[in-house]
């Protein structure tokens, strides 16, 4: 089963609010199999334009696991904190299927 990745770009308006969001969202990741793979305040733009001040990549064991985390009560509690503190773009991306044999 391929991995899945949630990628968020955040234009942060309130650092204190993002800190509160970080605590609640981190707690929601416990038991969800989430692994933060990157947090970069200044990604190197190779082409086009990029949104935000920070990019975050979170890995999950599957698309279903990522969606279950995103829709969980714990993360739903965190979303309003993030929305009050930043303008965010978020996508769920399926990884490549592992080769068999």
């Amino acid at each position: 089963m391929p991995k899945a990745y949630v990628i968020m770009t955040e234009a942060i308006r309130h650092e204190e609010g993002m800190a509160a969001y970080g605590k609640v969202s981190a707690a929601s990741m416990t038991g969800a199999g989430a692994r933060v793979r990157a947090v970069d305040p200044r990604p190197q733009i190779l082409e086009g334009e990029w949104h935000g001040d920070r990019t975050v990549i979170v890995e999950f064991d599957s698309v279903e696991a990522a969606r279950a985390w995103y829709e969980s009560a714990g993360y739903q509690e965190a979303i309003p904190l993030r929305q009050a503190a930043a303008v965010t773009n978020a996508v769920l991306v399926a990884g490549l299927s592992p080769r068999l044999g």
Side-chain angles (χ1 to χ4, degrees), residues 3-71:
K3 303 283 186 184
Y5 302 88
V6 172
I7 303 169
M8 295 184 175
T9 60
E10 304 165 334
I12 299 169
R13 297 181 292 193
H14 304 290
E15 286 292 339
E16 300 82 19
M18 285 304 285
Y21 160 76
K23 289 178 185 176
V24 176
S25 67
S28 75
M29 291 181 181
T30 303
R35 293 168 298 283
V36 177
R37 294 300 188 201
V39 178
D40 194 339
R42 291 185 180 87
Q44 296 180 31
I45 300 167
L46 301 177
E47 291 187 36
E49 295 184 31
W50 198 252
H51 165 264
D53 309 305
R54 178 168 56 204
T55 299
V56 179
I57 301 173
V58 183
E59 181 184 71
F60 292 86
D61 289 335
S62 66
V63 168
E64 294 78 14
R67 182 150 305 273
W69 164 75
Y70 186 85
E71 295 173 354

